[in-house]
Amino acid sequence: MTALSEFKPGLEGVPATLSGISYVDGQKGILEYRGIGIEQLANQSTFLETSYLLIWGKLPTKEELVEFEHEIRYHRRIKYRIRDMMKCFPETGHPMDALQTSAAALGLFYSRRALDNPEYIREAVVRLLAKIPTMVAAFQLMRKGNDPVQPRDDLDYSANFLYMLKEREPDPIAARVFDVCLTLHAEHTINASTFSAMVTASTLTDPYAVVASAVGTLAGPLHGGANEEVLTMLEEIGSVENVGPYVDHLIATKSKIMGFGHRVYKVKDPRATILQQLGEQLFERFGHDEYYEIALELERVVADRLGEKGIYPNVDFYSGLVYRKLDIPSDLFTPIFAIARVSGWLAHWKEQITKNRIFRPTQIYTGSHNETYVPIHERTCAINLEAETL
């Protein structure tokens, strides 16, 4: 029997696996992918090169990267039956729900499970990395009554996604900033969606189901959905002068300040620092954002009020401002998070199946014992006194 003293709500701090994929030091603000600092990757790498690093455990040679990019470039299109299915989705549906359904549907077309076959694993990696952005962009256009834009083989990964959203070739600076955003969101140890992916993977199901389960987990506002809430918060604050009273009210009511605090980081998230720099690049190129000054004051006030508790900006705080300047609708922020995190999920899927043991945690039972079954004709209804009073 497990002792109650061993119970950790949310499994906080409980090691669930051995992994060589990424590393976080929350006290020092360090994030590494396969031992390489996130700052180096953001400045020098690309999202697809970083994805290769995460999934195959090493930086690719020039020839390996060219081949990998070529494979993904020519697997971007989705089958017309998936496209027709997506046309039947309600226009009011959230893009994350559309993405989860579409990702799962890929498994219907590529249902062969050969988890011991390196060729099958590579094909699954390529398909998911290539097709997920196409499905996100397609739903965005189809929910407005428009036909989806076909991918362009002459554009790189990030530029092609922005093109499919607007049917115009993006500014090179915008495409590069977006690519760095994907790199920053690609992986972050055993977070909720990654753990969901690992649990699903441990049953030895197909990788499309693994990604679909992770997408469903990412959709929650306590995980990937927080960046949408940050912009809503900035709009509610409205001006720099309102920041102090707004924060004081949230603190007094013990409400969450969206975009601040992290289960691991007790200093400013290194990804938030890079995203802030990316935002400033975009503002210089395309014009200032009225909410940026509010965000800066909000960061200062929260640090003053809550810094001693380790409450600082996380990755969600500045990402919404960056996506807003890229003219991306706010309800696509989390699907874009998913586009990036597919590489991390696949890295953990690949690592999990090489040393697999199905996840089967235990519990601490808190119910009663030796109850007697009561026949239905002898049962009485419990009266809801509160409802009766109302």
Side-chain angles (χ1 to χ4, degrees), residues 18 43 88 101 103 129 131 169 199 283 293 314 334 369 376 382 384:
L18 299 174
N43 289 330
C88 298
T101 304
L129 283 171
K131 298 180 188 300
E169 193 168 333
V199 172
F283 303 150
E293 298 302 327
N314 58 41
T334 311
H369 296 281
I376 193 168
N384 188 329

Side-chain angles (χ1 to χ4, degrees), residues 333-384:
F333 293 175
T334 311
I336 287 170
F337 195 157
I339 289 172
R341 190 54 61 85
V342 165
S343 61
W345 293 333
L346 290 173
H348 284 276
W349 164 67
K350 188 170 176 289
E351 188 177 65
Q352 178 66 35
I353 61 177
T354 60
K355 54 178 183 180
N356 190 59
R357 183 175 175 83
I358 190 169
F359 281 93
R360 179 57 171 91
T362 187
Q363 66 171 20
I364 297 174
Y365 179 66
T366 60
S368 59
H369 296 281
N370 300 318
E371 295 283 355
T372 302
Y373 177 83
V374 178
I376 193 168
H377 62 274
E378 296 179 13
R379 300 172 205 164
T380 57
C381 293
I383 298 175
N384 188 329

Side-chain angles (χ1 to χ4, degrees), residues 119-360:
E119 182 179 349
Y120 170 83
I121 290 174
R122 187 179 181 96
E123 288 174 351
V125 166
V126 167
R127 288 189 184 113
L128 283 161
L129 283 171
K131 298 180 188 300
I132 290 291
T134 305
M135 293 191 293
V136 171
F139 180 71
Q140 167 63 13
L141 293 179
M142 287 192 289
R143 65 175 172 165
K144 294 183 176 181
N146 301 318
D147 283 327
V149 174
Q150 288 296 309
R152 268 179 52 180
D153 294 339
D154 61 315
L155 295 177
D156 65 23
Y157 192 85
S158 294
N160 176 68
F161 175 74
L162 295 176
Y163 166 76
M164 289 190 296
L165 279 183
K166 305 292 181 180
E167 203 171 3
R168 63 175 182 266
E169 193 168 333
D171 184 283
I173 291 178
R176 173 57 186 164
V177 165
F178 184 71
D179 196 76
V180 176
C181 289
L182 295 183
T183 298
L184 296 176
H185 286 87
E187 161 63 8
H188 205 254
T189 72
I190 311 302
N191 51 79
S193 59
T194 298
F195 186 53
S196 177
M198 291 168 59
V199 172
T200 306
S202 76
T203 70
L204 298 184
T205 188
D206 67 75
Y208 308 99
V210 170
V211 169
S213 69
V215 169
T217 307
L218 184 67
L222 294 183
H223 192 4
N227 47 17
E228 292 182 52
E229 302 295 334
V230 170
L231 280 188
T232 300
M233 176 181 64
L234 295 177
E235 292 171 359
E236 289 176 353
I237 294 173
S239 69
V240 171
E241 294 73 24
N242 290 338
V243 170
Y246 187 91
V247 171
D248 290 338
H249 173 72
L250 291 181
I251 293 174
T253 56
K254 297 183 178 180
S255 301
K256 183 173 177 59
I257 306 174
M258 302 308 296
F260 285 85
H262 196 277
R263 183 70 71 87
V264 179
Y265 292 115
K266 302 308 174 188
V267 295
K268 186 172 181 178
D269 189 326
R271 299 169 298 174
T273 299
I274 299 171
L275 282 163
Q276 183 177 359
Q277 296 167 354
L278 295 176
E280 290 173 351
Q281 291 179 32
L282 292 176
F283 303 150
E284 182 177 345
R285 173 69 171 166
F286 301 111
H288 192 67
D289 189 302
E290 60 182 310
Y291 292 116
Y292 183 54
E293 298 302 327
I294 299 175
L296 290 177
E297 178 65 7
L298 185 59
E299 180 178 353
R300 186 194 69 78
V301 170
V302 172
D304 179 67
R305 307 285 203 277
L306 300 172
E308 63 182 15
K309 296 184 178 180
I311 307 297
Y312 289 95
N314 58 41
V315 70
D316 296 309
F317 186 61
Y318 286 109
S319 63
L321 289 172
V322 171
Y323 295 151
R324 169 186 162 98
K325 185 52 68 174
L326 291 172
D327 196 26
I328 295 172
S330 61
D331 62 356
L332 287 189
F333 293 175
T334 311
I336 287 170
F337 195 157
I339 289 172
R341 190 54 61 85
V342 165
S343 61
W345 293 333
L346 290 173
H348 284 276
W349 164 67
K350 188 170 176 289
E351 188 177 65
Q352 178 66 35
I353 61 177
T354 60
K355 54 178 183 180
N356 190 59
R357 183 175 175 83
I358 190 169
F359 281 93
R360 179 57 171 91

